[in-house]
Amino acid sequence: MLRVENAAVRFGGVQAVNDMSLECPPGRVTGLIGPNGAGKTTLFNIITGLQRPDSGRVLLGDRDLTRLPAQRRARAGLARTFQRLEVFGSLTVRENVLLAAELKRGLSRKGEAATEIADRLLARVGLTALADSQAGALPTGSARLLELARALATDPSALLLDEPGSGLSENESAALGDLLLSLAAEGMSVLLVEHDVELVMRVCQHVYVLDFGELLCEGPPAYVQSDARVQAAYLGAELATA
Amino acid sequence: MSTLLALTVAGLVTGCIYALTASGLVLTYTTSGIFNFAHGAIGMIAAFFYWQLIEWGVPTLPAFLLAVLVLSPLMGVVVERIMIRRLGNASLEVTLTVTVGLLLLLIAIANTVWDPLTARRVQPFFGSHQVTVGGVILSYHQLVVIAAAVVVPLALWAFLRQARTGVALRAVVDDRELAALTGASPSTVGMIGWAMGAALAGLAGVLLVSQVELNAITLTLLVINGYAAAVMGRLSNLPLTIAGGLLLGVLQSLAIGYVTISWLNQVQTSIPMVFLFVALLIAPPTRLRVGQLAPLLAPRVPSARRSLQSALVFLAIAALVTAILPAGQVASVTHGVAIAIILLSLVPMVGYGSMVSLCQLTFAGIGCVAMAKTGGSVLGLVVAVLAPAAVGLLIALPTMRLRGLYLSLATLAFGYAMDDNFFSNSSVMTQTLGLPVPRPLGIDGPRPYLLFVTAAFTVCALGVLALRRSTFGRRLVALGDSPAGCATIGMGIRSTKLGIFALSAGLAGLGGALMGGQEGVVGYTDFPLLLSLTLLLMAVVWGVRTISGVLLAALFFELIPHLNGQLGPVGNSVLSLLVGLGAVGLGKNQNGIVGTLLQKTSGLTKLPSLPHPRRAADQGDQPVREEVLTGAQS
Ligand SMILES: Nc1ncnc2c1ncn2[C@@H]1O[C@H](COP(=O)(O)OP(=O)(O)OP(=O)(O)O)[C@@H](O)[C@H]1O
Ligand SMILES: [Mg+2]
């Protein structure tokens, strides 16, 4: 189970995340939504160790990760994808996933070989046909799927996805939904940041709504959707950008 | 006691100049995101220009103003417009090579316009007028320096706080994207930053020129002191930078004053390096960069079979060429192939891992000296690899927690110190006779030796390609592409970085030893820092991601002296033109010549640009505009 307790971080004048707590139990997809600039990506960075929080704790199972650097957290079982892509652009698609699998396996000779893991995962996200292309040349949607495959290659217990559905076609997006549900069914904790409402409604069992860095409300998707404060926050954002 | 005071004051005055130049460096870096290795060269040109104006009879004050407030900012603006602007979010090896190219270009221009063999002197301001303050004698010139070091930072501070542009400048420094959203144009700000930075470089150059020899290279490299101060200020903090400059000036002055004369040379030129390394050690670790760089075309990695086939073909051709080569050409070709081995050492480090060493020839020199001292046996060759590898490890170690740029700065300072202290040291090589270097493994005769060096190159190239196909190679490339991505798949980056730096230094050492074997005798001017820079530029311009790229670069490099000989007196200017074109062209096409050719012939489409953190608008990456959560359902 992935837990965040009272995380907070401030950038100059902006309180990007304020006293935010959440729980992401295994076996379900948990949603994290909120208007642009709500602090979702920042919270991901705090969880994965790319952003040092001003306060708060991050726990995976009964392990406190708060003081660990990013790579140790990854080894402890956290994996993520990025909203702003972080694929290894000069490697091929297969090499991207292969590297993650190799790191996970270390030098052990037992079990599935790293190359087999890579090919299996590429097939799972539907990138087999592109396996030998340079990752930097992929269209955004495919690059997001690649990041997903790479994250899976580390065999994580908690998976954090930052807008994996943007740039995907309707069909691809539906396939992504199926994939997330099957990952959860395998016992993974999945935390999903996504603007695609349909996807969130379909796969998430529990949704947290973030606004100005604070928790606005939480609950099952249908409940959250009907909440007046949530509607106001989104309408407010809508009016502000209009 | 009064000596101490006098030395301290003298040191403070020099420190003022370091502080000024370092502030300029920080200003350009923070506003444009590009570290300007040519900063000192801009100051150098300003100093020569000032000398020229005085020579033409222009009075001091107008000459000073023209050099500092007109020519220097103009250079800054032109450079920003032509070279820097389009670098956008290029990777370190590109941005760094472009400014290094500018440095070489400016030195070449200075040497063409102002014959380096002519001695030039510049009088200090107000001639020899001086005052005595509290028992310390200060010349009017020193007073001017102090005044400048007080007034300029204050003016800078007021400007950044008050003026509209200043506020925009600060906004960009804080956060490019946010600043862009609020309407400050990062490119305008970059231009202003470069103009101001160049003016500060010019000011430092003109203040310094009456104190040191008016020599293009000396003046350009003096800025390494400025780098050390800027690192003290973490490349972003002006007050700390100024403090660093002053401290460095004082330390240097005290060291010169208190250490016996015979050590003077050593001590004086080592202090900036020591200072820089201390600054590196106490700098706080850099946060992982999130947000990707513009991707370059990665040439396809040939399979083991394919590379073996190419190697055999290459060797066959080489054997043929060796057999029919005119006797007069053998030496020069052998030298070229040895250089190719040195450049090959850049492929895994710069080409795959995007880490840049600016002193690769220094490592080559260490390898050469190591072999010369051990003898040309197998053991000698092993030592030629291990010695520079160990030194490389030591240099890289303090920079591991920091951004890649700091490693490059450390190598620059190291190369600079080695030039003055190691290679010129009489226990390393006698200044008049040089150091005899044996041919390894007793391979005598020019043609067999050429074959041997070519075989060594081929084997090393195969090794580099095998490395690229291994897990370590994937780690290396991943590291260059996305440190944040590496961390999130659980990859520790330190061992990879250290490993590749040591390996590449070792390979350079081997190249250096083989080159020394060809020359027979090496002298203290055979491994200069500036030549390392030229070689790096050549490699990146030709394509540092491919074996063929560095091979062509080495052969081209070997051709230069011939070109020079053919072209006679204009040779130098043609060369500087080539260097300049190379640097500018690199900004335009960052894949290098071979990369571009590959791109054209293999019909690969141009890479789409990935999310570009420095430019706000980017479709693919922008968060999709939210649908109203509740509205979407109906
Ligand atoms: N490194 C940083 N420095 C300063 N401010 C930052 C930084 N990172 C994020 N912010 C600010 O923190 C706030 C939260 O940003 P964040 O990217 O976490 O939002 P988000 O919920 O992911 O938004 P989006 O839906 O647009 O991705 C924003 O106001 C942003 O401008
Ligand atoms: Mg986000």
Side-chain angles (χ1 to χ4, degrees):
Chain A
M1 159 114 112
L2 171 68
R3 270 191 304 159
V4 179
E5 291 177 357
N6 313 100
V9 73
R10 190 180 184 85
F11 297 119
V14 183
Q15 186 73 45
V17 172
N18 193 11
D19 195 25
M20 178 65 197
S21 302
L22 63 76
E23 288 191 350
C24 185
R28 98 183 177 190
V29 181
T30 308
L32 177 61
I33 62 172
N36 290 137
K40 305 176 294 290
T41 299
T42 307
L43 188 61
F44 266 28
N45 288 344
I46 292 175
I47 297 174
T48 52
L50 294 178
Q51 174 67 53
R52 187 191 296 268
D54 298 334
S55 60
R57 298 205 303 161
V58 178
L59 301 128
L60 186 62
D62 45 13
R63 215 169 146 195
D64 188 345
L65 303 183
T66 317
R67 308 233 141 262
L68 297 185
Q71 73 269 19
R72 301 267 309 274
R73 295 186 198 210
R75 280 180 229 147
L78 273 187
R80 74 173 284 183
T81 66
F82 291 87
Q83 178 183 6
R84 284 176 173 277
L85 294 169
E86 292 279 352
V87 294
F88 304 131
S90 318
L91 292 176
T92 65
V93 168
R94 181 182 283 111
E95 281 179 310
N96 265 267
V97 187
L98 182 59
L99 176 60
E102 284 168 334
L103 288 166
K104 174 66 190 178
R105 278 178 46 88
L107 293 173
S108 88
R109 298 236 160 259
K110 283 184 295 229
E112 208 180 359
T115 46
E116 288 165 18
I117 298 176
D119 287 338
R120 173 169 59 78
L121 289 172
L122 284 177
R124 192 163 185 189
V125 300
L127 285 179
T128 307
L130 292 172
D132 291 316
S133 335
Q134 188 183 337
L138 292 180
T140 317
S142 309
R144 293 196 186 288
L145 293 176
L146 172 58
E147 284 207 352
L148 175 55
R150 184 180 72 184
L152 290 176
T154 65
D155 195 15
S157 55
L159 177 65
L160 286 68
L161 304 170
D162 203 346
E163 301 194 18
S166 78
L168 294 187
S169 71
E170 211 163 307
N171 285 342
E172 287 171 322
S173 178
L176 174 69
D178 295 339
L179 178 59
L180 296 186
L181 287 172
S182 72
L183 288 173
E186 287 164 25
M188 205 176 280
S189 312
V190 181
L191 184 57
L192 174 69
V193 167
E194 186 52 67
H195 284 306
D196 176 349
V197 182
E198 253 172 74
L199 186 60
V200 172
M201 297 296 292
R202 197 180 128 216
V203 301
C204 296
Q205 278 159 283
H206 193 89
V207 176
Y208 291 88
V209 186
L210 204 58
D211 192 23
F212 292 111
E214 297 192 35
L215 184 64
L216 195 63
C217 91
E218 63 169 302
Y223 166 77
V224 163
Q225 200 176 19
S226 61
D227 189 292
R229 287 167 303 168
V230 177
Q231 297 188 3
Y234 272 83
L235 277 176
E238 188 81 336
L239 290 177
T241 49
Chain B
M1 189 58 207
S2 72
T3 335
L4 177 66
L5 188 64
L7 283 172
T8 308
V9 171
L12 276 176
V13 174
T14 322
C16 284
I17 300 182
Y18 296 160
L20 286 171
T21 190
S23 308
L25 204 53
V26 168
L27 210 58
T28 35
Y29 181 65
T30 46
T31 49
S32 66
I34 305 235
F35 190 88
N36 181 13
F37 278 91
H39 192 72
I42 291 178
M44 176 272 294
I45 293 282
F48 270 99
F49 183 68
Y50 172 74
W51 171 86
Q52 186 69 68
L53 290 178
I54 299 283
E55 195 69 5
W56 284 337
V58 179
T60 307
L61 187 62
F64 175 83
L65 293 178
L66 277 175
V68 175
L69 291 182
V70 179
L71 177 80
S72 303
L74 203 64
M75 274 196 282
V77 169
V78 168
V79 167
E80 203 274 340
R81 285 272 146 168
I82 299 182
M83 299 168 94
I84 304 303
R85 174 149 309 184
R86 58 173 132 242
L87 288 180
N89 210 29
S91 60
L92 180 66
E93 84 255 25
V94 172
T95 60
L96 213 143
T97 312
V98 167
T99 57
V100 162
L102 178 62
L103 178 155
L104 295 171
L105 178 67
L106 291 178
I107 290 184
I109 289 178
N111 282 339
T112 312
V113 179
W114 296 283
D115 179 9
L117 297 178
T118 315
R120 297 180 181 82
R121 276 210 60 79
V122 179
Q123 290 303 314
F125 301 139
F126 306 106
S128 52
H129 285 281
Q130 56 188 44
V131 289
T132 310
V133 186
V136 180
I137 302 168
L138 281 173
S139 69
Y140 278 24
H141 185 92
Q142 287 177 312
L143 290 178
V144 172
V145 171
I146 295 172
V150 172
V151 171
V152 169
L154 284 179
L156 213 55
W157 180 77
F159 174 72
L160 290 177
R161 294 281 129 188
Q162 302 298 327
R164 227 182 102 84
T165 349
V167 174
L169 222 66
R170 272 199 303 142
V172 170
V173 171
D174 288 344
D175 187 328
R176 277 168 177 281
E177 276 168 75
L178 291 183
L181 290 178
T182 60
S185 143
S187 71
T188 311
V189 167
M191 198 175 74
I192 297 172
W194 273 77
M196 290 174 56
L200 283 171
L203 175 62
V206 171
L207 290 177
L208 206 60
V209 70
S210 55
Q211 317 294 305
V212 297
E213 184 186 0
L214 186 48
N215 170 301
I217 296 175
T218 317
L219 274 173
T220 300
L221 291 185
L222 258 176
V223 80
I224 290 182
N225 301 312
Y227 294 162
V231 169
M232 205 60 158
R234 292 156 203 173
L235 302 185
S236 59
N237 183 325
L238 281 177
L240 262 181
T241 300
I242 291 170
L246 296 178
L247 183 63
L248 178 58
V250 172
L251 285 178
Q252 214 171 4
S253 165
L254 292 182
I256 294 170
Y258 282 111
V259 183
T260 47
I261 292 299
S262 66
W263 280 86
L264 187 120
N265 192 19
Q266 267 82 345
V267 170
Q268 190 179 359
T269 49
S270 295
I271 284 188
M273 187 188 93
V274 173
F275 195 84
L276 183 77
F277 275 93
V278 171
L280 289 174
L281 281 174
I282 61 176
T286 332
R287 268 202 319 132
L288 276 179
R289 168 171 58 74
V290 187
Q292 278 203 306
L293 301 171
L296 293 178
L297 180 87
R300 202 161 276 283
V301 189
S303 65
R305 202 192 145 116
R306 189 59 213 287
S307 37
L308 201 61
Q309 286 168 349
S310 317
L312 289 176
V313 172
F314 174 74
L315 273 181
I317 296 175
L320 196 70
V321 171
T322 307
I324 60 173
L325 203 62
Q329 304 293 323
V330 176
S332 139
V333 173
T334 313
H335 188 266
V337 180
I339 291 277
I341 298 180
I342 299 175
L343 292 189
L344 189 62
S345 74
L346 295 173
V347 173
M349 177 174 49
V350 183
Y352 300 160
S354 293
M355 297 161 64
V356 186
S357 151
L358 296 175
C359 67
Q360 216 56 6
L361 204 58
T362 307
F363 291 130
I366 296 175
C368 179
V369 170
M371 187 183 76
K373 302 270 175 194
T374 350
S377 58
V378 176
L379 176 73
L381 279 178
V382 170
V383 174
V385 173
L386 291 186
V391 175
L393 261 187
L394 282 181
I395 295 165
L397 210 50
T399 68
M400 280 304 109
R401 307 167 302 124
L402 307 169
R403 233 169 314 159
L405 174 62
Y406 288 95
L407 174 63
S408 307
L409 285 171
T411 56
L412 189 77
F414 173 71
Y416 179 58
M418 288 292 279
D419 264 7
D420 272 333
N421 298 332
F422 182 74
F423 293 121
S424 62
N425 192 309
S426 53
S427 57
V428 176
M429 39 181 101
T430 340
Q431 299 234 347
T432 43
L433 300 175
L435 177 72
V437 185
R439 287 211 168 157
L441 314 181
I443 297 175
D444 250 335
R447 285 177 209 269
Y449 191 67
L450 170 56
L451 261 189
F452 171 70
V453 177
T454 310
F457 170 79
T458 313
V459 170
C460 293
L462 284 176
V464 166
L465 288 174
L467 178 87
R468 171 61 186 82
R469 287 189 301 267
S470 70
T471 311
F472 187 72
R474 282 186 278 280
R475 278 174 171 246
L476 202 52
V477 177
L479 185 65
D481 284 345
S482 166
C486 289
T488 49
I489 57 170
M491 183 181 133
I493 57 184
R494 194 169 300 195
S495 55
T496 311
K497 274 177 155 181
L498 282 176
I500 195 56
F501 197 75
L503 191 114
S504 140
L507 188 52
L510 177 68
L514 295 183
M515 187 171 86
Q518 165 59 34
E519 302 293 285
V521 176
V522 294
Y524 69 105
T525 53
D526 273 332
F527 309 100
L529 178 62
L530 278 183
L531 204 52
S532 290
L533 300 184
T534 312
L535 286 173
L536 174 74
L537 184 79
M538 294 280 164
V540 177
V541 165
W542 281 93
V544 73
R545 298 183 159 215
T546 50
I547 308 289
S548 43
V550 291
L551 186 62
L552 286 173
L555 295 180
F556 180 76
F557 175 79
E558 206 51 42
L559 270 178
I560 292 179
H562 295 276
L563 283 180
N564 243 349
Q566 298 290 315
L567 296 172
V570 286
N572 204 0
S573 19
V574 170
L575 263 188
S576 50
L577 206 68
L578 283 178
V579 169
L581 282 179
V584 174
L586 190 64
K588 246 183 171 168
N589 195 325
Q590 310 179 348
N591 290 311
I593 297 175
V594 170
T596 309
L597 289 178
L598 280 177
Q599 196 173 3
K600 293 238 163 76
T601 53
S602 66
L604 284 171
T605 42
K606 201 170 159 32
L607 287 176
S609 33
L610 276 184
H612 201 304
R614 297 237 180 105
R615 292 187 195 126
D618 190 277
Q619 326 75 19
D621 185 52
Q622 277 301 297
V624 183
R625 181 110 176 276
E626 286 111 310
E627 305 156 51
V628 180
L629 187 60
T630 43
Q633 208 64 351
S634 50

